[in-house]
Amino acid sequence: MRHLMSPLDFSVDELNDLFDLAGDIEYDTAKYADACSGKILATCFYEPSTRTRLSFESAMQRLGGGVLGFADAGSSSAAKGESVADTIRMISCYADICAMRHHKEGAPLVAASNSSIPVINAGDGGHQHPTQTLTDLLTIRSLTGRLQNFTIGLCGDLKFGRTVHSLIYALMRYPGVDFIFISPEELRVPDYIAEGLRKSNIRYEEVIRLDEVMGRLDLLYMTRVQKERFFNEEDYVRLKDFYILDREKMEAAKDEVLILHPLPRVNEIAPEIDNDPRAAYFRQVKYGVYVRMALILSLLEIKV
Amino acid sequence: MLNVGRIKEGFVLDHIKAGQCLSLYHMLKLDQRNCTVAMILNVVSKKMGKKDILKVECGVDELNFDVLAFIDHKITVNVIKGEEIIDKMPLELPGEISGIIYCRNPRCITSIEQGLPHIFILADMDEQVYRCKYCEEKHEHR
Ligand SMILES: [Zn+2]
C-alpha cells in the first residue's frame, strides 16, 4: 500500500504513468465514471480549505465513488483531543482512501503510519502540498507537451511560498529547466534551495522586476505577495507593482507563454488578462481534478 | 594514561571533547543504571589539547552506540574484557535516532500528538544534518 506525502514520493517514471492516466481521463472522462463505484474517500480537513477539499470530492465523485469527512477541526473529534493516530484508525474502517489536511506539519505522515488505507497529504502547514505540485506539473505537461527544456519564471513570495518550493524540487528532476526567480529582496528563495540548485548545476537567476525578464519566459508561475511580509509600508508601496501581472507586462511576453497560479489570486493578476489565451490558471483547476482522479485510481490500484 | 581503577568488562570512551563528558553520561542514561562509572576530565591530549575520558563497567551490549555516534562519532570506543582492551569500535552516524532529541518546531505534529516518538533522520551525511521525520526541520544543536 502506498501513500502520498511529498511530490518526490513518486519517481519521474511513475509520475509519467500518472500523468498519462490523467491525460486519458481528460480525453475520455466517461470511461472512468464508475471506476470507484462502491469506494469511499474520506476528506479529513483539520483546517478549512474549500478549494482543495472540493477538488478531491469532485475527483472521487467523477469516479463514481462516495465521499465523507469533516471540513474543519472544530467539527471533528480532534476538537475533543483525539490523536491523529486514533482518528485515522477509525477513518480506516469507514473509507477506502483518505485525503488529510492539517495545520501541523507531518500530521499526514503520522496518519499514514497508523492507517490501513492509503493517505494523501492534502497540505500540512508550511511543509508540503503534493497534489498542488502534481497539478502544476500536469498542467505544464498537458498544455506544452513537455516537462523539460523551458525557462520558468517564479514570481512573488518565494521565501514562504510552499507551492513554489515544492514545484522547484519537482522540476529539478527534469533536464533543461532554467529558473528565473522574481521577488523582492526580502522574499527571495531560501538559501538551502538556491544551494541545492547550485549543487545540481541547474541554471537560475534572481531578479527584482518581472518586466525585465518577461520576454524570456516560457512559463510564468505567479504567487501572491502579502503586504504583511514586507518590513515596511514604503517598500511595499514601492515594489508591489513589480509583481502585478497586467496587460502591459503581457505585451512583452512570448506568444506561447503560459501563466500559472495556484489560486486564489487577490490582485497579483489583473482580471483584464483572464481572457488572454496565455492565461492558464483556470484550466489549471481542471487539471487538479484530473490528477487527483488519477492519483486515487493509482493508490487504490484500480485499473480501467 | 591516567589510571582510575581498572574495569573488568565494559568500555573506555576516549577522545571525548573536554566538557562533554557529563552530558554524555546523561544522554547515555548512565545515571539511571547501577554500573560503575569513572569520569576523567580535562586530560591533556596531544591531538585535542584537552579531552575527557569516560569508563563504564557494563556488558558489551548495554551501551547505545547510536546515541554515542550521534553526539560525537569521533569518540574512540575501547572494548574491555578481562581488564584488557580487546577491540576498538568504529562509530558510524546512525541513520535514524528516536527519543534522544526533540523537535522544537511549534508547527510540528510532535508538538501535539500524544505518544508520538520524536524521530530524526540523517539527511546529509557530509554535513551531519539530522531532520525531524515529520516536519523535516533541521536539528540545530551540534
Ligand atoms: Zn518536527
Side-chain angles (χ1 to χ4, degrees):
Chain A
M1 187 178 59
R2 284 189 80 167
H3 308 281
L4 177 70
M5 294 297 121
S6 144
L8 303 183
D9 287 356
F10 287 119
S11 69
V12 167
D13 285 343
E14 287 171 329
L15 282 184
N16 271 334
D17 291 345
L18 189 79
F19 297 149
D20 286 345
L21 177 57
D24 195 56
I25 293 171
E26 180 189 12
Y27 175 72
D28 187 1
T29 313
K31 190 169 106 191
Y32 295 86
D34 296 315
C36 283
S37 121
K39 302 284 185 191
I40 295 173
L41 165 77
T43 49
C44 299
F45 276 51
Y46 288 82
E47 68 172 3
S49 170
T50 310
R51 190 175 308 273
T52 305
R53 188 169 53 83
L54 290 183
S55 181
F56 271 108
E57 297 189 357
S58 168
M60 193 51 165
Q61 293 189 14
R62 283 184 190 282
L63 291 166
V67 176
L68 55 79
F70 50 89
D72 65 82
S75 63
S76 79
S77 43
K80 301 190 193 94
E82 187 178 59
S83 66
V84 171
D86 282 2
T87 302
I88 194 67
R89 288 185 188 115
M90 175 194 72
I91 293 292
S92 294
C93 303
Y94 298 153
D96 302 283
I97 185 165
C98 172
M100 177 177 286
R101 186 171 188 111
H102 205 293
H103 52 286
K104 291 288 184 183
E105 300 171 6
L109 182 59
V110 173
S113 320
N114 292 281
S115 178
S116 54
I117 59 173
V119 176
I120 300 168
N121 179 359
D124 59 336
H127 184 219
Q128 296 283 2
H129 188 6
T131 54
Q132 179 65 52
T133 309
L134 297 187
T135 300
D136 299 338
L137 295 178
L138 176 65
T139 307
I140 296 170
R141 200 185 93 142
S142 300
L143 296 180
T144 69
R146 65 187 195 278
L147 273 173
Q148 54 189 51
N149 301 324
F150 53 70
T151 298
I152 181 169
L154 295 124
C155 177
D157 179 355
L158 308 184
K159 184 175 182 186
F160 299 100
R162 152 185 83 178
T163 51
V164 168
H165 301 168
S166 291
L167 185 58
I168 296 169
Y169 281 122
L171 286 174
M172 278 171 71
R173 304 198 288 181
Y174 297 93
V177 177
D178 292 353
F179 294 90
I180 300 183
F181 301 131
I182 307 140
S183 75
E185 191 68 33
E186 295 92 329
L187 299 176
R188 284 169 55 189
V189 155
D191 284 345
Y192 63 89
I193 291 184
E195 173 82 28
L197 290 165
R198 282 196 296 274
K199 273 189 185 162
S200 311
N201 289 318
I202 293 169
R203 271 185 297 193
Y204 74 93
E205 290 171 46
E206 296 183 276
V207 299
I208 306 273
R209 299 175 64 123
L210 176 57
D211 52 7
E212 276 176 22
V213 293
M214 199 66 206
R216 292 166 50 205
L217 305 177
D218 301 306
L219 288 157
L220 173 59
Y221 198 92
M222 293 292 297
T223 63
R224 189 163 16 133
V225 177
Q226 285 166 285
K227 193 175 173 177
E228 53 275 22
R229 300 283 195 213
F230 281 89
F231 295 131
N232 60 59
E233 178 86 22
E234 263 167 63
D235 278 351
Y236 177 73
V237 172
R238 182 170 57 86
L239 293 167
K240 71 176 178 14
D241 289 344
F242 292 174
Y243 310 103
I244 293 177
L245 186 62
D246 53 17
R247 197 177 280 147
E248 195 188 323
K249 289 197 188 74
M250 283 303 284
E251 273 168 22
K254 288 185 185 176
D255 290 342
E256 63 280 10
V257 71
L258 283 181
I259 310 299
L260 302 174
H261 190 297
L263 302 179
R265 62 144 168 213
V266 180
N267 59 358
E268 58 278 11
I269 300 181
E272 64 192 20
I273 71 159
D274 288 354
N275 292 323
D276 189 312
R278 296 170 292 182
Y281 33 90
F282 293 120
R283 279 173 282 168
Q284 205 174 344
V285 176
K286 208 177 58 173
Y287 288 111
V289 178
Y290 295 140
V291 90
R292 288 182 176 92
M293 289 170 78
L295 182 64
I296 290 169
L297 288 174
S298 129
L299 292 178
L300 288 176
E301 297 176 32
I302 291 172
K303 295 228 168 11
V304 177
Chain B
M1 192 170 79
L2 186 69
N3 198 350
V4 183
R6 286 179 174 278
I7 48 176
K8 288 198 183 67
E9 186 176 329
F11 301 93
V12 173
L13 309 180
D14 201 355
H15 303 113
I16 300 167
K17 270 188 212 131
Q20 250 194 3
C21 199
L22 196 61
S23 70
L24 197 61
Y25 171 78
H26 287 290
M27 285 179 91
L28 289 169
K29 299 199 161 71
L30 294 173
D31 52 334
Q32 295 166 23
R33 311 234 315 239
N34 223 346
C35 49
T36 305
V37 175
M39 282 186 228
I40 310 161
L41 308 181
N42 289 322
V43 181
V44 176
S45 155
K46 269 187 218 149
K47 216 163 68 177
M48 305 173 69
K50 292 242 163 143
K51 65 176 182 181
D52 291 352
I53 299 169
L54 185 68
K55 296 184 173 191
V56 189
E57 178 108 46
C58 69
V60 282
D61 52 357
E62 284 181 64
L63 270 198
N64 189 335
F65 291 103
D66 282 354
V67 174
L68 199 57
F70 170 72
I71 298 166
D72 185 354
H73 69 289
K74 293 197 177 99
I75 291 171
T76 307
V77 181
N78 300 297
V79 185
I80 311 293
K81 217 161 189 179
E83 300 193 1
E84 298 292 328
I85 295 177
I86 59 154
D87 203 3
K88 283 189 195 293
M89 271 186 36
L91 288 177
E92 272 173 40
L93 282 179
E96 184 181 304
I97 45 166
S98 180
I100 306 299
I101 45 171
Y102 296 91
C103 183
R104 293 199 180 93
N105 174 5
R107 299 176 312 277
C108 179
I109 185 64
T110 53
S111 66
I112 54 163
E113 180 87 353
Q114 320 125 25
L116 187 65
H118 286 234
I119 298 172
F120 281 75
I121 311 266
L122 180 59
D124 186 329
M125 185 92 87
D126 299 335
E127 308 277 329
Q128 298 181 37
V129 174
Y130 281 85
R131 289 187 184 277
C132 171
K133 180 182 172 182
Y134 303 99
C135 69
E136 296 181 72
E137 191 94 337
K138 199 168 163 178
H139 173 65
E140 305 278 5
H141 180 64
R142 308 180 66 82

